[in-house]
Amino acid sequence: SACPLFLLSPLHASGFLAAAPLARSPRCAAVVSAESHWMDFLKFGGATPPFDVLSKTQEYVAATASAASDRGEYLPAPETYYADDYVFRGSIVGPISRRDVAETQKSFNLLGAYPDIDRGIFGLTVDPQNPYRVFFFERWTATMTGSIKIGPLTLPPSNKRIETPIHVTSITWNPDGKVVYESISPPVDRFEGNTKGAGAVFGLLAGAGLQLPASVGDPALIAQ
């Protein structure tokens, strides 16, 4: 059976998840030997994917892009897309699980605040070093017509039209056709757009008038 991703990820190294399964699996121990990088596991031994990775990513992108309904309510992509050991990482946030991603998106009400959001996805391409991984660019545009809630803080509608700098997203599938790892990069060019260099979710928060620090490990971000 496949070696669980969380054992190879920073979740394991940081102590968030137990190490017990690793001791029971010589195969997993070999995979995470001192000579390998934890992301090497995501290449699944160099096997050829049994499905069209690019087409499957396009399907997934379409499903996640329609996560906002006509009423601006949060409707997550079907859970059937995700592996049980799915991990998300941003340049600042993460690693976090699928459940954490969904709960954060719902509690912040970002899609309700920006019901016309367009992720501006283009340039899908398969990683030449990993046939299970697809990269693409995103340039978000949206208008804030609803409120955002961050803990006790409520940010009222600003009616501001925002455009974020481009960032790169990667989607990695497992051999069963499930998304096992997803990541987004920092802005490619922070001088783009009108969010003062803030990309993706941070761009939406900037458009709401909230200026968050954007340094790795910042306590204010970890607390969210």
Side-chain angles (χ1 to χ4, degrees), residues 76-99:
E79 291 300 316
T80 53
Y81 279 106
Y82 301 99
D84 292 339
D85 53 354
Y86 168 93
V87 171
F88 172 84
R89 293 202 74 163
S91 56
I92 298 171
V93 176
I96 58 177
S97 68
R98 170 61 191 157
R99 184 181 65 181

Side-chain angles (χ1 to χ4, degrees), residues 1-16:
S1 60
C3 183
L5 174 62
F6 65 76
L7 294 176
L8 311 174
S9 76
L11 283 173
H12 170 65
S14 61
F16 281 102

Side-chain angles (χ1 to χ4, degrees), residues 38-90:
W38 68 267
M39 290 193 73
D40 289 341
F41 169 70
L42 296 175
K43 297 178 182 179
F44 301 100
T48 300
F51 51 86
D52 187 325
V53 172
L54 200 58
S55 295
K56 202 163 185 65
T57 302
Q58 290 171 328
E59 176 189 313
Y60 172 70
V61 164
T64 56
S66 62
S69 71
D70 293 337
R71 294 177 294 171
E73 296 176 349
Y74 176 66
L75 296 175
E79 291 300 316
T80 53
Y81 279 106
Y82 301 99
D84 292 339
D85 53 354
Y86 168 93
V87 171
F88 172 84
R89 293 202 74 163

Side-chain angles (χ1 to χ4, degrees), residues 146-168:
S147 299
I148 292 176
K149 288 186 64 65
I150 303 178
L153 179 65
T154 298
L155 304 174
S158 66
N159 294 309
K160 180 179 179 179
R161 179 75 173 172
I162 63 103
E163 180 180 313
T164 69
I166 290 175
H167 69 266
V168 178

Side-chain angles (χ1 to χ4, degrees), residues 2-223:
C3 183
L5 174 62
F6 65 76
L7 294 176
L8 311 174
S9 76
L11 283 173
H12 170 65
S14 61
F16 281 102
L17 295 172
L22 184 59
R24 296 196 301 268
S25 174
R27 177 179 177 275
C28 289
V31 172
V32 293
S33 67
E35 291 76 23
S36 64
H37 188 282
W38 68 267
M39 290 193 73
D40 289 341
F41 169 70
L42 296 175
K43 297 178 182 179
F44 301 100
T48 300
F51 51 86
D52 187 325
V53 172
L54 200 58
S55 295
K56 202 163 185 65
T57 302
Q58 290 171 328
E59 176 189 313
Y60 172 70
V61 164
T64 56
S66 62
S69 71
D70 293 337
R71 294 177 294 171
E73 296 176 349
Y74 176 66
L75 296 175
E79 291 300 316
T80 53
Y81 279 106
Y82 301 99
D84 292 339
D85 53 354
Y86 168 93
V87 171
F88 172 84
R89 293 202 74 163
S91 56
I92 298 171
V93 176
I96 58 177
S97 68
R98 170 61 191 157
R99 184 181 65 181
D100 292 334
V101 172
E103 289 180 353
T104 300
Q105 289 175 329
K106 185 175 181 178
S107 63
F108 277 19
N109 190 41
L110 290 176
L111 294 177
Y114 290 93
D116 66 341
I117 188 169
D118 181 351
R119 290 166 59 193
I121 293 170
F122 66 97
L124 282 80
T125 185
V126 177
D127 183 350
Q129 295 187 5
N130 183 357
Y132 285 92
R133 192 177 196 187
V134 173
F135 291 95
F136 51 88
F137 296 97
E138 299 194 42
R139 180 191 283 119
W140 294 9
T141 56
T143 307
M144 186 188 180
T145 57
S147 299
I148 292 176
K149 288 186 64 65
I150 303 178
L153 179 65
T154 298
L155 304 174
S158 66
N159 294 309
K160 180 179 179 179
R161 179 75 173 172
I162 63 103
E163 180 180 313
T164 69
I166 290 175
H167 69 266
V168 178
T169 298
S170 82
I171 304 294
T172 305
W173 302 86
N174 67 17
D176 296 325
K178 306 289 187 180
V179 180
V180 69
Y181 180 67
E182 187 167 356
S183 69
I184 64 172
S185 75
V188 173
D189 185 346
R190 64 187 178 87
F191 299 103
E192 274 195 318
N194 61 357
T195 58
K196 298 182 179 179
V201 168
F202 294 106
L204 300 183
L205 294 174
L210 183 65
Q211 297 301 322
L212 286 175
S215 58
V216 174
D218 188 279
L221 297 177
I222 293 173

